[in-house]
Amino acid sequence: MSDREYGAVGFKDEDDKKLESLGYVPSFKREFSNLATISFAFSIMGLCSSVATTFNTPLLLGGPSSATWCWILGSVMCFTLGSSIAEIVSAFPTCGGLYTASAQLVPKRHRPIVGWVVGWVNILGQVAGLSSTEFGLSSMIWAAVVVAKDGNYEVTSGKVVGLFAGLLIFNGILNCLATRHLATLTKGFVFVNLGTTVIIIIVLLATTGRHNMHSASYVFGSEGIVNQTNGWDNGVAFLFGLLSVQWTDYDATAHISYEEVKRAAYAAPAAIFIAVIGTGLLGWLLNIVLVLCSGPLDNLPGPSGSAFLQIMVLRMAKLGALSLWTFVCLTAFFVCQTALQACSRTVYAFSRDHGFPDKGYFGYVSKWTHTPLRAIWLTTIFSILPGLLDFASPVAVNAIFSLTAMALDISYIIPIALRRIFQHHPEVQFTPGPFYLGDGLLGWAVNLNCIVWTLFVSVIFSLPTYLPVTRNTMNYASVITGSVIFLAIGRRHYRGPHAYVKDDITPADSEGDGEKASAGGKGEGEMMT
């Protein structure tokens, strides 16, 4: 493919030079502007749709106070995690994201195993996150149908799973569009996301009389601690509310950043930083207002199965609630759209680096759309599989939410920890990007805080939410994540991220490009340095 086709007219910009310094040639067109990148980051975090799909968990396990305090507590801690990720994203510009960075932050002999484990765990978390979000969207749509039918409608597992699979396929089709179309489509996501959240907050407050609002003690205090776990103590029940805010793909922007974003060294970390702060603060306000206007707890989640929707119906009446619910569902669709795009880029990069035993087959970029079509459809198909668990047990599907947070967060803290552990090793050369926390007290405090916090919440997410533990109430998230890590450690053929830069090498853009890139690079047995 010619330089002109990649948008380079007689020279290589700073982004491409940085990418090539890590041993890669650009594989995608840089069509994402600053606005599109920020919108992408906000969209992947969901905000009102994330609250809508997870609000039942804190409210019905730990009580209203859990919904209120766990969001802001988790948001503050996730701010340190997002900042640490932004620092690494700013320094390592590839669509492989954190797995590529992890392999560069350790001595050469550890690079294959570290890159392999982080890659697999991160992909596991992304696939689970995409699947659970799409499944949540399907449930949200059917909840609206139940409300529209005044509760006289039966939603079966077949209906939920069928719609879930159809939505994923539709997202897959949209992701096949050229990068410029994806960027144009993404620009509007942030306005729908933020606008819907603000309107819901305003309308709920306007339609709820002061005499119908709960007291401050119910929203923030001990009156709002209602343990419904059937055995866990109040402290553990309260902490289950952390799932609603930890369920986020913070490094998603990294997967499109340096190969599809303009001025990526600045735009990508800034987008992560802004989105984490904005989502945390506005999401907290939304949770407070929902609890304040929620009515009797015994009436929730109601016939629809969604406490969020039931509160809207209570205060806005059916027509108003369903009208706004349409936009909440739309924001969830945007989350799935961006999540599939991010995950497919990781799958593409992992295949390109021979992380899969596919000989680079999925490390393919279409010469027509300049997008990784094979990786997109592999991601789509595998994301459908977890949803099929609903036929076995609804509890198994709920475990996917815990799995998402646990797997993603573990893949995040590994490179953060490695950067500190090996920062003075002669084989590790960490060159900070424009976003840098520094090696002083602030940098260390932020990094250590997010590591300790992630380990803590991973324990919480491993616990079954109801007692006694049976095969139907068991939380299988830790078992699945542990199994993937165990199998990943036993890797045979992976030898670390590859370099493909050579004077006569061009990005993989046609049939067999995975093999072309491998042949033109340093070879399968030689790691990128």
Side-chain angles (χ1 to χ4, degrees):
M1 183 172 292
S2 67
D3 281 344
R4 184 175 182 81
E5 288 178 274
Y6 273 96
V9 184
F11 65 91
K12 297 178 180 178
D13 62 20
E14 182 181 347
D15 289 324
D16 289 349
K17 289 180 180 178
K18 177 64 176 177
L19 184 63
E20 291 182 1
S21 72
L22 292 178
Y24 290 98
V25 287
S27 299
F28 305 100
K29 285 189 173 183
R30 298 185 185 277
E31 303 282 2
F32 275 72
S33 62
N34 289 347
L35 174 60
T37 307
I38 292 173
S39 183
F40 185 96
F42 262 105
S43 297
I44 200 72
M45 295 185 187
L47 193 50
C48 66
S49 62
S50 293
V51 175
T53 52
T54 61
F55 189 63
N56 283 13
T57 299
L59 185 70
L60 303 180
L61 291 177
S65 290
S66 175
T68 301
W69 287 114
C70 281
W71 183 276
I72 190 61
L73 173 62
S75 295
V76 171
M77 297 302 177
C78 288
F79 176 72
T80 65
L81 181 60
S83 299
S84 298
I85 292 171
E87 179 182 43
I88 293 177
V89 168
S90 182
F92 293 97
T94 80
C95 62
L98 296 182
Y99 94 80
T100 304
S102 298
Q104 294 299 305
L105 292 169
V106 294
K108 291 182 179 180
R109 66 189 182 94
H110 298 309
R111 288 178 184 175
I113 187 62
V114 169
W116 175 264
V117 171
V118 173
W120 271 106
V121 174
N122 187 261
I123 290 173
L124 170 68
Q126 288 193 69
V127 169
L130 171 59
S131 182
S132 59
T133 307
E134 201 80 84
F135 193 89
L137 173 58
S138 177
S139 299
M140 289 165 64
I141 293 173
W142 285 118
V145 174
V146 171
V147 170
K149 297 287 187 178
D150 296 318
N152 299 317
Y153 188 85
E154 182 183 0
V155 179
T156 64
S157 294
K159 292 176 182 178
V160 175
V161 174
L163 180 58
F164 152 79
L167 289 168
L168 261 173
I169 291 172
F170 185 47
N171 280 127
I173 294 172
L174 288 180
N175 263 282
C176 292
L177 294 173
T179 303
R180 66 179 180 276
H181 299 310
L182 291 174
T184 301
L185 184 65
T186 303
K187 287 180 182 178
F189 291 178
V190 66
F191 300 109
V192 176
N193 198 344
L194 297 179
T196 300
T197 305
V198 172
I199 291 173
I200 289 174
I201 291 171
I202 294 173
V203 174
L204 279 175
L205 291 174
T207 55
T208 306
R210 288 289 298 272
H211 62 283
N212 289 325
M213 292 183 179
H214 287 291
S215 65
S217 178
Y218 184 86
V219 178
F220 299 102
S222 57
E223 186 183 343
I225 298 178
V226 183
N227 187 343
Q228 300 186 64
T229 61
N230 198 37
W232 288 113
D233 62 37
N234 289 346
V236 175
F238 177 87
L239 291 172
F240 282 142
L242 291 170
L243 177 59
S244 61
V245 68
Q246 290 289 140
W247 179 57
T248 304
D249 187 1
Y250 291 100
D251 78 323
T253 309
H255 302 304
I256 69 161
S257 62
Y258 275 96
E259 300 194 37
E260 294 178 84
V261 173
K262 299 172 183 176
R263 298 184 73 250
Y266 301 90
I272 294 173
F273 199 77
I274 293 170
V276 170
I277 294 176
T279 300
L281 294 177
L282 196 55
W284 189 38
L285 181 58
L286 177 60
N287 274 276
I288 291 173
V289 172
L290 283 169
V291 172
L292 187 68
C293 305
S294 60
L297 185 59
D298 292 340
N299 294 342
L300 300 175
S304 67
S306 169
F308 192 116
L309 177 56
Q310 202 63 34
I311 294 169
M312 291 175 63
V313 172
L314 174 66
R315 301 307 179 192
M316 306 176 193
K318 183 168 70 175
L319 181 59
L322 291 179
S323 298
L324 279 177
W325 192 249
T326 301
F327 291 96
V328 177
C329 291
L330 192 58
T331 61
F333 183 81
F334 293 160
V335 174
C336 297
Q337 179 70 15
T338 50
L340 178 54
Q341 183 180 352
C343 188
S344 66
R345 270 47 174 184
T346 311
V347 170
Y348 158 81
F350 209 48
S351 174
R352 177 182 63 181
D353 291 337
H354 302 288
F356 297 128
D358 64 339
K359 297 183 178 179
Y361 179 79
F362 294 104
Y364 162 85
V365 177
S366 168
K367 61 183 178 182
W368 294 289
T369 65
H370 306 294
T371 53
L373 297 183
R374 293 175 183 170
I376 288 169
W377 286 108
L378 178 67
T379 303
T380 301
I381 292 170
F382 271 93
S383 296
I384 291 175
L385 298 181
L388 302 180
L389 289 172
D390 192 54
F391 289 120
S393 168
V395 176
V397 174
N398 291 333
I400 296 297
F401 286 89
S402 297
L403 169 62
T404 301
M406 185 187 307
L408 285 176
D409 286 356
I410 289 175
S411 72
Y412 297 157
I413 64 169
I414 291 176
I416 296 170
L418 293 176
R419 189 183 97 66
R420 293 298 180 181
I421 294 172
F422 294 106
Q423 65 177 344
H424 299 302
H425 195 282
E427 294 180 1
V428 177
Q429 297 180 350
F430 176 77
T431 303
F435 185 89
Y436 182 46
L437 296 173
D439 285 326
L441 180 60
L442 175 63
W444 272 95
V446 169
N447 291 162
L448 287 176
N449 181 85
C450 72
I451 293 170
V452 173
W453 174 254
T454 298
L455 294 175
F456 169 72
V457 294
S458 293
V459 174
I460 299 298
F461 296 155
S462 300
L463 301 174
T465 53
Y466 294 98
L467 296 178
V469 179
T470 67
R471 64 186 182 90
N472 290 326
T473 61
M474 172 62 181
N475 185 342
Y476 296 97
S478 58
V479 177
I480 298 172
T481 305
S483 297
V484 170
I485 294 175
F486 177 78
L487 293 174
I489 291 176
R491 82 336 167 221
R492 296 291 182 185
H493 59 279
Y494 184 66
R495 302 185 182 182
H498 291 262
Y500 301 111
V501 172
K502 213 172 184 179
D503 292 340
D504 59 342
I505 299 302
T506 57
D509 58 28
S510 59
E511 292 290 339
D513 56 354
E515 290 84 345
K516 287 181 183 179
S518 178
K522 293 184 178 179
E524 186 169 347
E526 188 172 350
M527 294 177 296
M528 182 178 68
T529 59

